[in-house]
Amino acid sequence: MWESVAASVAGMMVAMAAAAPTPPVAAAVDATPVLTSTPFGALPEQSVTHTVTISGRGTLTATRVTFTTTADLDGVIAQAEPGRCAASPRVVVCDLGDLLLGAAAAAPRVTITGRIRPGVPPGTVIRNRVSVTSVESTATGPRVASNAYLLPGSMATATATAADPALESPAVASAVRPPGRSLRVPAVAAAVIGAIAAAVLLTRRRLRRRHDLPLRPAVTTRHRDPM
């Protein structure tokens, strides 16, 4: 009796498992961010526009775009289509919500404008980076795009150039040039001339001493006249 009951229960469980709907397999999402900076290589006090577009296929859930830069931007304005943004001089965060990527849908877009703050020193590397995250990217990691450029000039090079005597005027360069063979000959000549002058001066002093000595009186020997 118990065996028949167990067999019937097992049969019911198998039937229920077969009737249960199979969860759909999530389609793979292909999302690629593209970052464009115009003009590329913007200088301090120059306006620049960064545009981020997301292309691909699939659905992104709770999509967030994060833009960062290594040079402060003044007057930052950020707009997302769709979504909204929060901006600061170096970081812009935009929440775009759920996105459907595909040929029929317009590519989501984020536009960031501003002016590079004056005072950025020459030789600074300005790096712009954008990352796209969503629920689907939890396992795969964020999708990233970036660009970078070097501001013209270099403070280290400028300092070295100003301190290099070879690049200064000839008069200054000759004044700071280290002594070499060309300066040894005048030094030897000066030493010889000094020695000759000292010898002449010593000879003059000796002659003066001889002339200043008192003259000895002449000695006369008198003899008696025998007469």
Side-chain angles (χ1 to χ4, degrees):
M1 178 179 178
W2 292 105
E3 293 178 356
S4 61
V5 173
S8 61
V9 171
M12 293 176 61
M13 293 179 63
V14 172
M16 292 176 61
T22 303
V25 179
V29 178
D30 179 20
T32 303
V34 178
L35 172 62
T36 303
S37 300
T38 306
F40 181 75
L43 303 176
E45 301 186 7
Q46 188 174 4
S47 298
V48 63
T49 299
H50 303 286
T51 304
V52 182
T53 56
I54 305 175
S55 61
R57 290 183 176 277
T59 301
L60 296 180
T61 307
T63 309
R64 170 170 287 185
V65 174
T66 303
F67 171 84
T68 59
T69 183
T70 57
D72 290 341
L73 296 176
D74 290 334
V76 184
I77 299 176
Q79 297 178 345
E81 301 174 6
R84 57 184 182 178
C85 301
S88 65
R90 292 200 180 195
V91 180
V92 175
V93 179
C94 300
D95 291 320
L96 279 62
D98 299 341
L99 300 178
L100 177 61
L101 305 178
R109 180 186 301 268
V110 174
T111 304
I112 303 166
T113 60
R115 184 183 300 273
I116 297 182
R117 182 170 298 178
V120 181
T124 300
V125 176
I126 297 182
R127 186 181 303 276
N128 305 308
R129 182 180 184 273
V130 60
S131 64
V132 178
T133 58
S134 63
V135 174
E136 291 75 15
S137 67
T138 304
T140 60
R143 302 297 178 92
V144 178
S146 64
N147 60 42
Y149 62 92
L150 183 70
L151 282 182
S154 172
M155 295 183 66
T157 303
T159 304
T161 301
D164 188 358
L167 300 179
E168 297 176 358
S169 62
V172 178
S174 61
V176 298
R177 184 180 302 161
R181 186 175 180 181
S182 60
L183 295 182
R184 291 179 182 175
V185 174
V188 173
V192 173
I193 294 174
I196 294 174
V200 172
L201 181 61
L202 182 60
T203 302
R204 288 182 178 179
R205 288 181 179 178
R206 289 179 179 178
L207 292 176
R208 287 179 181 178
R209 288 180 181 177
R210 289 182 181 180
H211 287 291
D212 292 341
L213 290 176
L215 297 176
R216 295 181 180 179
V219 178
T220 306
T221 303
R222 295 182 180 180
H223 297 279
R224 248 181 221 184
D225 189 358
M227 298 303 294

